[in-house]
Amino acid sequence: MTADGQSTAARDVVDVVALGESMVTFLPSRPGRLADVPSFDRAIGGAESNVACVLAAAGHSVRWVSRVGADGFGDHLVETIGGYGVDVSAVRRDPARPTGIYFRTAGDRATDAHEVAYYRAGSAASAMAAGNVDLNAVRAGRVLHLSGITPMLSEGCLGLVRELTAIRAGRPLISFDVNHRPALGRSADGPSVLLELARGADLVFVGEDEAAEVWGLVGADAVRDAFPDPETLVVKQGGRGATVFHRGDATFVPAPHVDVVAAVGAGDAFAAGFLSATLRGLPERDRLRHGHLTAAAALTVPGDLAAPPVRDHADRLVALDERAWGRLRLGPGWTDAADWADEEVRTP
């Protein structure tokens, strides 16, 4: 153990390491303004920990690395995320800083009526830096998943992500989800920082609308032109589908029709599905289809996290021909319908 509390022991290599802040989330018991909602249900929220939980539920070995407060909310995060089967042994407790929390309304995040109240300034996770995170644990993965949220939390967090994305021999495959959050600040240099970090990754996820907002890039091809360095670039195009650029090839896969319950958590779930298929060595089309299916699992439940479809079930749907895939419609409970025949696509 070093003077700053880092472990010097070698860590077991896992499929995926996810680093980033998770917060305790308070979900309203009924629709309405935050001022009017009388009670809330407790859950967890965090882009990277969401990906970790879904991947663990899908059968992969996953480690989440972060800092939480030495408080009850920190206990809840570590216990809940660990309950998904995620290795939380590298999560550090900070006795001087609290665990972040936030409240949100029940409405769609895309509407003007949606409210989110964050209480994360000065959180334990915002104090992450290269000197107080177990870098052995972070680098001991086939894939290291990061997002653009972490470098916006503090200068220390930015320095940490720069250290992890630096080109060096033997580094894991770096997965980076842009996840632009304008409310986190860094308004002046945020776009350039995100561009820099994404260009240093091996696999990048970015929304088409996000790329237009942050960098003024219109269309998937324009995004690829701006990101020539990552070997794999995934441009998410909302309900239309997604395009993956891998080396010199581009593959578009339409999204299935989904009866949406809550438009939250889909981006993290998509990344988890795509990463799962990547770890399995599946072709680009199938990686996108698995991403779409895992996103559909999140879209058809009320919260941010949903169990992914059973692998055999997802593989059968991914193997559908183009016509059958185009007819696919997914509603609440669809992940339980494991007896679907390949030739019959229906809504549960």
Side-chain angles (χ1 to χ4, degrees), residues 220-280:
D221 290 336
V223 179
R224 183 51 164 174
D225 289 343
F227 291 90
D229 300 310
E231 182 176 60
T232 305
L233 170 69
V234 179
V235 181
K236 298 173 291 183
Q237 296 162 287
R240 290 188 293 122
T243 299
V244 58
F245 296 90
H246 181 68
R247 298 174 181 166
D249 298 325
T251 303
F252 172 79
V253 172
H257 301 285
V258 178
D259 297 328
V260 176
V261 172
V264 293
D268 301 331
F270 181 96
F274 190 94
L275 285 171
S276 176
T278 299
L279 288 162
R280 295 170 61 198

